[in-house]
């Protein structure tokens, strides 16, 4: 895969708007998509999406819906009114739930006149330790995601190569758990470097505390971009 094909997603996991604003100011030239998760969204509500859209980058709403199919359908329909480019659900919710999400996105974008967001299924959280059967589980959930017809999956740097091999023609891959050499893993268990993720064909890599928790976020992002270029 050509080096420029891996897009950079930056996780704005802050509960203060000024911190998010500062991070956008520092990083916007190099970030393709900003990720809004439960921290900012719960603190500031849907208005925070407008802030993210105004950065000019794409917007990823990472609320990881996991409920009965009808509820997820309604939640995704509502989320589609916000004009986000991608959003997450849990693949563990099952094929019918994933189909419900897709239907909700299609209905919502028609009703609200927005582009349909990409529906991305979380497989096994990157904070879960890599057990012997983690890869099998991830591949099974990625197969379910294909069957449901959603757009992509979230998996760790340890599985992305195998997921691309099995389903690369059908599924986009979104890869968190990215750490630079010398970084803390924090609560993540299945981690890898930016270079590894690019070489294994990640379509998107999610970068969080490697940059946002660094004393010099600009320099940390530059190191990541360098690894991406070199991969
Ligand atoms: O700070 P760190 O690089 O660990 O951030 C990773 C981001 O990706 C967090 O916002 C986390 O919620 C998100 N994420 C994850 N694992 C998944 C899905 C999303 O770490 N399976």
């Amino acid at each position: 895969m050509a080096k420029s094909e891996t897009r950079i997603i930056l996780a704005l996991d802050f509960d203060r708007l000024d911190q998010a604003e500062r991070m956008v100011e520092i990083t916007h030239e190099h970030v393709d998509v900003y990720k809004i998760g439960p921290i900012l969204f719960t603190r500031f509500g849907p208005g925070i999406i407008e802030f993210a859209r105004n950065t000019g980058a794409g917007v990823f709403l990472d609320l990881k819906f996991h409920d009965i199919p009808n509820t997820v359908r309604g939640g995704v329909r509502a989320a589609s009114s916000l004009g986000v480019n991608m959003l997450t659900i849990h693949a563990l919710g099952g094929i019918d739930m994933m189909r419900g999400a897709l239907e909700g996105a299609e209905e919502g974008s028609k009703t609200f006149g927005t582009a349909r967001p990409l529906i991305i299924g979380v497989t096994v959280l990157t904070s879960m330790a890599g057990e012997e059967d983690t890869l099998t589980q991830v591949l099974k959930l990625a197969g379910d995601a294909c069957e449901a017809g959603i757009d992509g999956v979230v998996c760790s740097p340890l599985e992305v190569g195998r997921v691309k091999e099995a389903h690369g023609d059908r599924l986009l891959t979104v890869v968190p758990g990215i750490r630079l050499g010398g970084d803390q893993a924090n609560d993540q268990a299945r981690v890898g470097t930016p270079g590894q993720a690019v070489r294994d064909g990640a379509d998107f890599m999610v970068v969080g505390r490697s940059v946002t928790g660094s004393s010099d976020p600009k320099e940390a992002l530059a190191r990541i971009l360098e690894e991406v270029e070199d991969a």
Side-chain angles (χ1 to χ4, degrees), residues 14 17 54 59 64 77 103 105 115 122 149 164 182 185 199 210 212:
F14 300 105
L17 195 55
N54 287 338
V59 182
K64 300 188 181 68
R77 186 178 186 278
E103 286 164 11
V122 176
K164 286 308 281 187
R199 281 189 292 277
S210 270
T212 57

Side-chain angles (χ1 to χ4, degrees), residues 11 13 35 62 64 122 124-126 154 176-179 187-188 206-210:
D13 291 328
K35 186 168 87 69
D62 187 22
K64 300 188 181 68
V122 176
V124 178
L125 288 170
T126 41
V154 182
I178 300 294
R179 292 292 182 268
D187 58 347
Q188 298 283 29
V206 181
V207 178
R209 285 163 291 181
S210 270

Side-chain angles (χ1 to χ4, degrees), residues 9 11 24 31 59 116 126 198 214 217:
I9 300 178
V24 168
V31 167
V59 182
R116 178 175 83 69
T126 41
V198 172
S214 162

Side-chain angles (χ1 to χ4, degrees), residues 9 12 23 31 55-56 62 77 94 97 123 126 128 157-158 177 227:
I9 300 178
L12 293 175
M23 197 48 60
V31 167
T55 64
D62 187 22
R77 186 178 186 278
M97 192 210 79
T123 57
T126 41
M128 312 283 283
L158 308 187
E227 269 206 33

